[in-house]
Amino acid sequence: MNTKTVLLLATFAILVFYYYQYGGRSGQTLTFEGNVMTVTAGDLEGRLLAEEDYAGTLMLFGGTELPHRNTISPLFLAALDVVDAGPIYAQFPDFHLCNSPGAELAKPLVQDVNIIPSNRATRTSLVNALREFHQNLRAGGERVCLAVSGRSARLLAVRIPAHDIDITREFPDQLYLLVSDAEKVDCRAVLEEI
């Protein structure tokens, strides 16, 4: 290969990386009119009613970042509120392990949470926590807990504005959180304080 071809391929690789790292996901915008939040993401427009303030600590049991640009909530978590986890932890400190008798008590309390980060720094914190969770899970390490604050929200409508199509029925009724701040905390320390 000649130098020109190598440079062309390298430039193309950098552009592809940039698109998937930033361009494919960074188009999400949030606007507010009173308590109604509009999320514009790719071809979609979602309207949510921001309800109660939320502040709590979540123990991660799963989750993923959704890299597609058409996502109202770009992060999904399966999480257990430490308030619910505290009594289980007191009886079964290893409840987070699948083979623990405490796991059966925790499973029905784990919630699916759709996360809408309010800014890039919060999103980065959440993504880093998810990566650490998955690494720890593969290595048999500790669970990851996040102190999260923001507002709970209820989905009102999802549309494809360019075609004036309402696709709200395609979205299940789930918990949405507009997260303004997320910080990793030590699970064991938090659980022992409860």
Side-chain angles (χ1 to χ4, degrees):
M1 259 192 246
N2 65 27
T3 305
K4 203 178 229 183
T5 303
V6 170
L7 285 173
L8 184 62
L9 288 173
T11 302
F12 179 72
I14 290 168
L15 289 173
V16 167
F17 172 79
Y18 180 82
Y19 173 78
Y20 283 105
Q21 188 66 23
Y22 303 105
R25 298 186 296 226
S26 65
Q28 186 181 61
T29 59
L30 303 175
T31 56
F32 284 89
E33 283 185 41
N35 284 339
V36 176
M37 172 177 57
T38 301
V39 180
T40 305
D43 300 318
L44 300 183
E45 178 185 272
R47 289 181 46 245
L48 297 98
L49 179 62
E51 297 182 317
E52 299 175 7
D53 288 341
Y54 177 86
T57 302
L58 302 174
M59 176 183 268
L60 300 185
F61 277 81
T64 190
E65 179 182 22
L66 305 169
H68 196 276
R69 69 187 195 96
N70 288 330
T71 55
I72 300 298
S73 55
L75 298 164
F76 169 81
L77 303 179
L80 177 62
D81 193 302
V82 294
V83 171
D84 295 328
I88 302 170
Y89 176 78
Q91 190 175 1
F92 302 101
D94 65 345
F95 79 95
H96 63 281
L97 301 173
C98 292
N99 61 357
S100 168
E104 290 304 314
L105 298 172
K107 282 180 190 176
L109 300 174
V110 173
Q111 297 183 55
D112 295 336
V113 186
N114 294 287
I115 302 290
I116 303 169
S118 65
N119 57 59
R120 188 173 291 274
T122 300
R123 182 178 181 142
T124 299
S125 295
L126 290 160
V127 168
N128 289 340
L130 274 173
R131 287 181 183 149
E132 183 176 342
F133 163 79
H134 288 293
Q135 289 169 353
N136 289 359
L137 189 63
R138 285 189 295 274
E142 294 295 317
R143 288 286 174 184
V144 173
C145 287
L146 288 169
V148 174
S149 61
R151 292 184 78 181
S152 63
R154 183 169 44 90
L155 187 66
L156 299 174
V158 181
R159 296 179 56 246
I160 304 172
H163 302 288
D164 196 25
I165 299 172
D166 186 301
I167 58 171
T168 308
R169 70 176 184 275
E170 304 299 324
F171 288 77
D173 187 22
Q174 291 183 335
L175 174 62
Y176 287 82
L177 284 180
L178 172 64
V179 177
S180 55
D181 190 45
E183 180 183 348
K184 184 178 167 267
V185 294
D186 182 84
C187 288
R188 188 172 311 201
V190 172
L191 288 168
E192 288 177 358
E193 287 178 11
I194 293 176

